[in-house]
Amino acid sequence: MSNKTVSTLSGKHILISVFLIILIRPLSYAVNMLTTDYWIALMASVNLCSSALIAYNWPLIERHTERSRNMIGDSLLFTGIGIVLITALTWFAGSFLKAELLLPSGQLLIGVGYARPGMMIAFSIMEACMINIGFKNLTDHMDVRNKELQAILISAIIFGLFTTIVFTTWDLMVLVRTLPYWLLLTAVLSYLYNQCHSIIPGIVSFTIVNLAVMIMAII
């Protein structure tokens, strides 16, 4: 568990990072005016905003990569645990909750043709980076010393509600079905972070799961 109690990110940095995530949905609507397929517009928006988010948070990514490298055994172990947990959650959310996941269907991926690589990049590595960097920024001022379980629960509620509002259709039943997915996903990512002191296992495991789901959907 991390003993960090003082935020390493300024309030301005956090606000800009959160703004880049919030911008994804309205930007996708703007891009959709130029294309007939909303998922193509969403893909472009996710790739663009996530790239800006990664560039802006590059020093953060470098620090966490170094931490992960220094704890390679734990990082590999909890990346594997993350893959198992996120796979189970994705399957449960899609099959039973009928949640609105930020993940294109196999039929959609087949239909987009040459845009498929961009689609798979957007909803694997870019989404994973965006979610993990966003989670780290939005919960960075939390005091987690000797409060690991509380930190996981509180961060899950804060960022889970945030992502549900930002990325889910504003329909009551859709919101109700999707909220548990984002809450539990954030709890998993928070758990991985607290065990490894790094967002890298969360990024890698989330990327692998989403990419595998998309590949299996088009085979």
Side-chain angles (χ1 to χ4, degrees):
M1 174 185 160
S2 172
N3 289 324
K4 183 177 83 64
T5 61
V6 179
S7 174
T8 59
L9 303 175
S10 68
K12 177 183 176 183
H13 183 103
I14 293 170
L15 287 174
I16 293 175
S17 296
V18 170
F19 171 75
L20 287 170
I21 297 174
I22 294 174
L23 184 62
I24 290 175
R25 185 69 81 172
L27 181 60
S28 68
Y29 292 144
V31 175
N32 194 37
M33 297 178 184
L34 306 175
T35 178
T36 57
D37 193 319
Y38 174 70
W39 275 91
I40 295 290
L42 184 59
M43 171 201 73
S45 182
V46 168
N47 279 330
L48 180 61
C49 292
S50 296
S51 295
L53 185 67
I54 291 169
Y56 187 63
N57 283 272
W58 191 249
L60 173 70
I61 294 173
E62 288 184 320
R63 287 198 304 273
H64 283 251
T65 300
E66 184 62 25
R67 290 182 193 175
S68 187
R69 189 181 296 119
N70 292 336
M71 300 178 62
I72 188 65
D74 284 348
S75 294
L76 291 174
L77 171 63
F78 285 100
T79 295
I81 292 173
I83 290 172
V84 173
L85 293 176
I86 296 172
T87 298
L89 174 59
T90 302
W91 173 77
F92 177 74
S95 300
F96 291 95
L97 295 179
K98 304 301 180 183
E100 186 178 82
L101 308 184
L102 197 60
L103 195 64
S105 66
Q107 182 179 6
L108 177 62
L109 286 168
I110 293 171
V112 295
Y114 291 114
R116 192 177 306 135
M119 189 81 74
M120 297 182 81
I121 290 171
F123 299 106
S124 60
I125 181 63
M126 289 300 182
E127 180 180 346
C129 286
M130 179 263 293
I131 294 297
N132 280 274
I133 293 171
F135 150 73
K136 180 64 179 73
N137 272 270
L138 201 60
T139 62
D140 193 60
H141 284 261
M142 289 176 53
D143 180 356
V144 300
R145 185 172 54 186
N146 301 323
K147 301 175 184 177
E148 183 173 349
L149 181 58
Q150 291 180 41
I152 292 172
L153 293 175
I154 294 172
S155 61
I157 293 171
I158 293 173
F159 195 69
L161 285 170
F162 171 77
T163 46
T164 300
I165 293 170
V166 171
F167 296 117
T168 307
T169 301
W170 279 57
D171 176 273
L172 180 59
M173 291 308 300
V174 177
L175 288 167
V176 169
R177 293 198 305 267
T178 305
L179 177 60
Y181 167 74
W182 286 115
L183 291 175
L184 292 171
L185 177 62
T186 305
V188 170
L189 298 178
S190 180
Y191 168 72
L192 299 179
Y193 170 73
N194 274 277
Q195 297 304 311
C196 298
H197 318 314
S198 172
I199 61 174
I200 301 303
I203 291 175
V204 175
S205 56
F206 194 21
T207 296
I208 290 174
V209 171
N210 274 16
L211 189 59
V213 169
M214 288 186 285
I215 291 174
M216 291 177 63
I218 61 177
I219 293 178

